[in-house]
Amino acid sequence: MDLRVSLVDGRLELKNPVLSAAGTFGSGLEYRPYGDITQLGGIITNGLTLRPCAGAPMPRVAETPSGMLSAVGTQNDGAEHFVKNVLPELPWQDVPVIPNLNATNVDDFSALASVLAGARGVAALEVNLSCRNDHRSGQLFCQNPVTAARAVNAVKRAAGSKPVIAKLSPQIMDIVEVAKAVEAAGADIISCMGTVQGMAVDVVTRRPMLGSVIGGLSGLAVKPLALHCVWQIARVVQVPVIGVGGVCSARDVLEFMLAGAHAVAVGTANFSDPDTIFRIIRELPVLCEQLGIDDLQAFRGSLKT
Amino acid sequence: MISPVRTELTVTDNVPFGQPVSGPAGIYRFYALTLERPAWKSWRPGQFIMLRPVQDSEGTTWARPLSICRVTSQSLVLFFRVIGTGSDRLSRLKSGDKVIVWGPLGTSFDMRPDTPTLLLARGVGIAPFAGYADMHPAPASLFMLFGHGLPSNNYPTDAMAARMEMENMRDRTPEELEHFHSVVREKMLEYKDHGGMCLACGPMPFLKRVWECALELDLPTQLSLEERMACGTGACLGCTTVTSKHWPDPVRAGLPVQTCTSGPVFWASDIDLHAVLPEERSL
């Protein structure tokens, strides 16, 4: 069965609709002992910033029912380090490598995009719009259609011919409005969703479970939220949508596609078992055959409501 | 570096150790879990595995990191304490159940046959020293000081006592715990004077005290750090520690590194536990 997905007029070709989600698959190299990473539809890398970033205080992760909280604080060695030391190690000729961009102001987004878009081996750029905007007293970029559009526009201008993916958070009043704004600002693809803010506490130590007190909730627990976001957005935008949030199985992939997603990204489930993404890719054609789906393009968005 | 593998293994035994004991965070229970031996090319004491039941409950997101206690020709033995829902689930595994295991993961303890070696263990931190004593070519050069707040029959000490000299110290009060720490320091001083080295495994507050002594006395010391881990592959960045200016790669000095891939065993002089464990978390 043909699982290929062609996006942005063929400028982003995926072997299949299953990518790794930002921050859950390292750079991709971490998972080489567990499977052939060139079999992925694409690798969305861990979050990168313009300058190296030490990240958030410990503890940074906590398990919650059917999910987890994390507050890593975008620990990374910076975009230059990624381009010089990590990218050459990745099999980018055989699998699209998509860096995830994080910044606290529009100028840094632009500079970051310049560093990454100019690098051989970068297939597309994903803009994390859940970043806090220093100039708007820490409000998330995507909390406001105007700031979301400015960030996307800044990356788009610096990205040259590389497709730009705008990643939205569900932590906003009207996700549809923001989706339309980033599309108008030039986003080639929308991915949704990022994590949902939450917290967990320990009654024995009387401390929060995370050093940063609050963190992002992800995993199976958020799948219904993510499906809802994808369904709302896919109906109103022309650009393709990548569904992210609680994907654990081939069935989940089909659920997101039924709701209108062109592809999905597997996140927290990569932590649960390093074989997860490889298993999903193995099982997807089998499940399609069982369900009598022979054309994923036709299946996509075919939800009867 | 030994490349890890992910395999499905069968549980061959899972036995409680000692009696359940009531403690400040609930009832403590200890288990020795035996699995069929994985097809690993090799492994080193101090390394760990990630483990989860194949039939896991739906609400469980993570596998659990467990030190490799011992590997025999037939089996892989793990030793753990029930502290939450994940380890409780592991305590209910029984012979014939299937588990997913990835490993062996991380770094291992240094083994120097001609160097007097002080092993400092506290609580379930005793686990990796069973395999260490098994594999050590000159166990006569080993001495273990084992501190524990609960009865010693909760821990697999008998097999270890047969292989090396060891001293058990139980503490029931904060004063007794402080006495244990003073004995730790005396022992470390003794090993410094005799050109020895020290290896330590246990909870983070204990390790921080050992780390402070190691730096003060300039005794070559390795610590096996304990941090919450989501993945064990180096991807989640949840288990990081901070390197010191002595870190072998100067570019990474003073920066975070993952405990699961750059550790769990670190030289004390290579890391900065003040940066990871501020005073309020040490209590």
Side-chain angles (χ1 to χ4, degrees):
Chain A
M1 151 163 213
D2 188 3
L3 294 175
R4 286 175 301 175
V5 181
S6 176
L7 303 173
V8 203
D9 301 323
R11 281 191 287 138
L12 185 59
E13 301 276 6
L14 315 179
K15 280 191 192 82
N16 59 63
V18 185
L19 300 94
S20 65
T24 63
F25 206 67
S27 66
L29 297 175
E30 289 82 347
Y31 281 78
R32 272 188 310 188
Y34 305 103
D36 177 3
I37 59 172
T38 67
Q39 293 309 303
L40 270 63
I43 297 170
I44 304 179
T45 71
N46 47 350
L48 298 174
T49 49
L50 190 55
R51 284 166 286 273
C53 176
M58 298 290 287
R60 292 171 166 186
V61 290
E63 194 180 42
T64 56
S66 300
M68 66 179 281
L69 286 165
S70 58
V72 168
T74 328
Q75 180 198 315
N76 77 106
D77 293 334
E80 297 271 8
H81 178 272
F82 176 81
V83 168
K84 218 182 284 172
N85 301 94
V86 182
L87 205 47
E89 299 289 314
L90 283 166
W92 51 265
Q93 294 94 335
D94 301 313
V95 58
V97 173
I98 304 170
N100 176 270
L101 283 64
N102 295 258
T104 56
N105 61 67
V106 169
D107 290 344
D108 277 6
F109 263 127
S110 177
L112 183 56
S114 298
V115 172
L116 293 166
R120 199 157 159 254
V122 168
L125 305 177
E126 183 179 68
V127 191
N128 180 4
L129 293 171
S130 302
C131 293
R132 295 190 176 278
N133 183 343
D134 278 348
H135 300 305
R136 290 257 182 167
S137 46
Q139 195 189 52
L140 309 185
F141 276 93
C142 61
Q143 262 169 337
N144 178 324
V146 177
T147 52
R150 279 197 190 133
V152 169
N153 192 256
V155 172
K156 185 69 189 167
R157 280 162 186 258
S161 62
K162 303 274 167 80
V164 172
I165 305 171
K167 186 168 186 181
L168 304 186
S169 152
Q171 208 90 16
I172 49 183
M173 287 293 284
D174 186 350
I175 203 165
V176 170
E177 199 186 338
V178 179
K180 285 180 184 163
V182 296
E183 182 183 38
D188 299 291
I189 299 169
I190 291 173
S191 65
C192 120
M193 60 184 212
T195 59
V196 188
Q197 276 182 7
M199 66 188 282
V201 297
D202 183 337
V203 293
V204 176
T205 62
R206 301 193 186 186
R207 292 180 193 285
M209 294 292 279
L210 297 178
S212 302
V213 186
I214 57 166
L217 179 67
S218 63
L220 201 50
V222 304
K223 196 182 80 174
L225 263 172
L227 262 180
H228 180 214
C229 290
V230 166
W231 181 68
Q232 282 179 291
I233 293 170
R235 293 197 302 173
V236 297
V237 297
Q238 302 303 309
V239 296
V241 176
I242 298 174
V244 198
V247 177
C248 299
S249 65
R251 188 171 291 270
D252 294 332
V253 175
L254 291 181
E255 288 180 11
F256 275 93
M257 294 188 82
L258 185 59
H262 283 68
V264 302
V266 179
T268 301
N270 290 314
F271 299 153
S272 306
D273 181 345
D275 184 46
T276 302
I277 197 161
F278 306 107
R279 172 178 52 81
I280 291 174
I281 292 166
R282 287 193 303 270
E283 288 177 355
L284 187 58
V286 180
L287 182 63
C288 285
E289 198 177 321
Q290 280 171 9
L291 295 173
I293 301 165
D294 48 20
D295 181 353
L296 276 178
Q297 294 275 23
F299 173 76
R300 179 171 45 78
S302 64
L303 186 71
K304 300 171 193 165
T305 52
Chain B
M1 196 65 162
I2 302 163
S3 190
V5 289
R6 175 200 176 276
T7 37
E8 196 176 297
L9 299 173
T10 305
V11 173
T12 54
D13 208 359
N14 193 15
V15 292
F17 239 87
Q19 299 299 314
V21 191
S22 174
I27 304 293
Y28 298 112
R29 291 179 291 134
F30 296 81
Y31 287 82
L33 173 64
T34 307
L35 311 177
E36 63 177 307
R37 191 190 200 284
W40 293 343
K41 287 199 183 78
S42 66
W43 74 284
R44 301 289 304 158
Q47 290 192 291
F48 70 104
I49 58 156
M50 296 292 288
L51 178 145
R52 70 176 305 148
V54 167
Q55 297 296 332
D56 217 345
S57 59
E58 230 185 28
T60 310
T61 304
W62 297 344
R64 289 296 182 271
L66 296 173
S67 277
I68 299 166
C69 182
R70 177 168 267 151
V71 180
T72 69
S73 59
Q74 300 293 317
S75 56
L76 163 61
V77 184
L78 307 155
F79 180 72
F80 65 94
R81 189 183 91 178
V82 176
I83 50 166
T85 52
S87 46
D88 180 57
R89 173 75 189 90
L90 299 187
S91 76
R92 283 181 273 119
L93 284 169
K94 52 188 189 310
S95 180
D97 286 349
K98 302 280 186 193
V99 291
I100 294 163
V101 168
W102 57 103
L105 301 167
T107 55
S108 57
F109 287 119
D110 224 31
M111 208 175 268
R112 298 179 188 172
D114 49 357
T115 303
T117 304
L118 172 65
L119 310 181
L120 297 173
R122 183 157 180 87
V124 283
I126 196 173
F129 292 132
Y132 187 84
D134 283 351
M135 279 175 90
H136 202 284
S141 66
L142 304 178
F143 173 83
M144 179 156 75
L145 176 62
F146 174 49
H148 48 99
L150 300 172
S152 64
N153 66 355
N154 285 116
Y155 305 95
T157 52
D158 290 354
M160 282 187 235
R163 182 91 177 136
M164 66 183 156
E165 196 186 341
M166 68 183 286
E167 182 183 340
N168 290 343
M169 281 187 75
R170 185 175 176 194
D171 48 88
R172 296 175 181 80
T173 64
E175 292 73 31
E176 286 178 349
L177 175 59
E178 214 38 57
H179 176 61
F180 167 68
H181 279 298
S182 68
V183 175
V184 164
R185 191 179 177 285
E186 278 164 27
K187 281 283 175 199
M188 289 176 78
L189 189 57
E190 189 186 317
Y191 275 74
K192 170 67 186 173
D193 290 344
H194 291 90
M197 68 169 185
C198 171
L199 311 175
C201 186
M204 286 299 277
F206 160 71
L207 293 176
K208 192 175 176 191
R209 296 283 292 261
V210 173
W211 174 77
E212 285 166 346
C213 286
L215 298 193
E216 178 209 333
L217 303 173
D218 192 27
L219 170 67
T221 299
Q222 287 186 318
L223 309 171
S224 176
L225 300 191
E226 184 182 78
E227 283 293 354
R228 226 178 270 162
M229 283 178 192
C231 68
T233 65
C236 78
L237 303 177
C239 65
T240 51
T241 194
V242 178
T243 63
S244 72
K245 62 182 181 198
H246 302 295
W247 187 254
D249 173 7
V251 176
R252 294 221 63 84
L255 294 175
V257 292
Q258 288 95 312
T259 299
C260 64
T261 48
S262 296
V265 178
F266 293 95
W267 286 104
S269 53
D270 284 351
I271 54 175
D272 178 5
L273 289 187
H274 283 316
V276 185
L277 207 67
E279 282 311 311
E280 68 272 15
R281 265 192 78 204
S282 306
L283 296 172

